[in-house]
Amino acid sequence: RDDTIALVWHYEAPMAPGSLPAALRERLADFGIDDAALAGFGPQVEAFASSEVPFWVCPGTSAWNSLVGRLPNARANLRDAAEVGRARGATGFLLTDWGDNGHLQPPAVSLAPLLEAAGLAWNAERHRDRDLAADLDAVVFEDAAGELGRACVAMGGLGDQTGLRGWNASPLHDALFGAGPLGSLGAPDVGRAEAIVESAAELDAALARAAPRVADGALLARELRQALRLARCGAERMARSAGAPSPSPATLRESLRAAIAEQRACWLERARPGGLEDSLARLEAVAREPTG
């Protein structure tokens, strides 16, 4: 049909073919995924561009299965989408935000990639060197204290500090709920996991100092603090699995129960109850695990 528009999706940051660890390439192959397809939007749009079929590039926020986002992945993927789309004649740029598996990340986690996507889609060259944290504080949060934007950006990088390689998920999410079919590759490192726990505490303090002037500013800060709490639970479980002197399983379970109560409260502040019990059931299953 003359009005057909192809939507071209890609959610991982572009990487050179063959650059993935052999173990991850083998695991992807088990699911019929060729790592050459991970080279970004270029290979994905080629068939449409060369045949002159109108297409949109559709990157994602990388918030899915992350708790606190995967902002470095999101930023690289968004930039690739904008640059390839412009070079190959895309007629649209559509940002996607996914939330199955309980949608445990709050809406606030997606604000940083949303703002980044807006700048890149409008004018990638002018946006290239902008300070995302400062832009978030100025445009999204109106935070006179200059804390919320910086914390939001830093939170999005916590998963990368684990030293593990996840596939369309954060290693912190995997540590909390167990690895999915692809999981995170690598062995947990005690020092890295403990450093993430400390960073989460520091970022929580920064969020407490924030002074956003937008109407829902207090709720945004509360949502981000809750996301950090869940990420910290994942980091603590990761540290314990690596042999660190961490809180006992019983203590970790009590922390998670408190997080479940706050997750419920935050959800109901922003959304309807549909899906809430299914979402919380995933956390409650972790809290019911034997304490050992």
Side-chain angles (χ1 to χ4, degrees):
R1 291 175 47 178
D2 292 340
D3 59 352
T4 296
I5 296 177
L7 302 181
V8 184
W9 317 86
H10 195 266
Y11 301 128
E12 290 292 315
M15 57 191 74
S19 64
L20 290 177
L24 181 53
R25 291 203 303 274
E26 292 172 3
R27 193 175 296 181
L28 290 172
D30 290 340
F31 286 84
I33 302 173
D34 183 350
D35 72 315
L38 306 181
F41 276 90
Q44 308 296 325
V45 307
E46 183 56 39
F48 303 106
S50 61
S51 61
E52 299 185 353
V53 173
F55 69 93
W56 292 9
V57 288
C58 304
T61 62
S62 298
W64 182 58
N65 289 344
S66 73
L67 304 177
V68 290
R70 298 188 300 137
L71 190 54
N73 181 85
R75 298 185 77 175
N77 193 38
L78 294 170
R79 182 172 298 282
D80 181 57
E83 292 175 349
V84 170
R86 179 181 179 185
R88 302 297 285 142
T91 57
F93 183 113
L94 173 66
L95 181 66
T96 66
D97 190 46
W98 298 87
D100 48 349
N101 290 345
H103 204 305
L104 290 159
Q105 78 279 8
V109 162
S110 296
L111 292 175
L114 177 60
L115 183 61
E116 181 85 336
L120 290 168
W122 182 256
N123 192 323
E125 287 303 314
R126 289 190 61 182
H127 185 78
R128 182 182 301 275
D129 298 320
R130 294 192 64 86
D131 183 335
L132 181 57
D135 283 346
L136 282 166
D137 280 330
V139 176
V140 177
F141 302 129
E142 298 180 16
D143 183 12
E147 296 280 7
L148 206 50
R150 181 185 64 82
C152 196
V153 169
M155 285 171 56
L158 287 178
D160 283 16
Q161 296 173 27
T162 62
L164 305 180
R165 177 68 172 89
W167 166 253
N168 212 5
S170 167
L172 295 172
H173 185 279
D174 282 353
L176 184 57
F177 295 101
L182 292 174
S184 297
L185 290 182
D189 179 87
V190 171
R192 287 177 180 268
E194 291 180 327
I196 291 172
V197 173
E198 294 178 4
S199 294
E202 293 169 359
L203 289 171
D204 183 71
L207 290 171
R209 294 192 298 268
R213 294 193 297 267
V214 292
D216 62 343
L219 179 56
L220 288 169
R222 182 181 180 184
E223 289 176 336
L224 292 173
R225 295 183 76 178
Q226 168 62 11
L228 269 175
R229 172 181 270 183
L230 291 177
R232 180 170 180 166
C233 287
E236 287 173 339
R237 287 169 63 89
M238 183 183 293
R240 184 172 179 81
S241 70
S246 58
S248 69
T251 300
L252 294 178
R253 186 171 66 177
E254 290 305 312
S255 296
L256 189 53
R257 282 177 172 165
I260 291 170
E262 178 64 0
Q263 185 75 6
R264 177 185 294 276
C266 286
W267 179 298
L268 293 174
E269 285 287 337
R270 182 77 74 180
R272 291 176 293 183
L276 174 58
E277 297 308 321
D278 173 75
S279 179
L280 294 182
R282 300 165 193 272
L283 291 167
E284 289 164 352
V286 178
R288 288 194 301 269
E289 291 177 358
T291 58

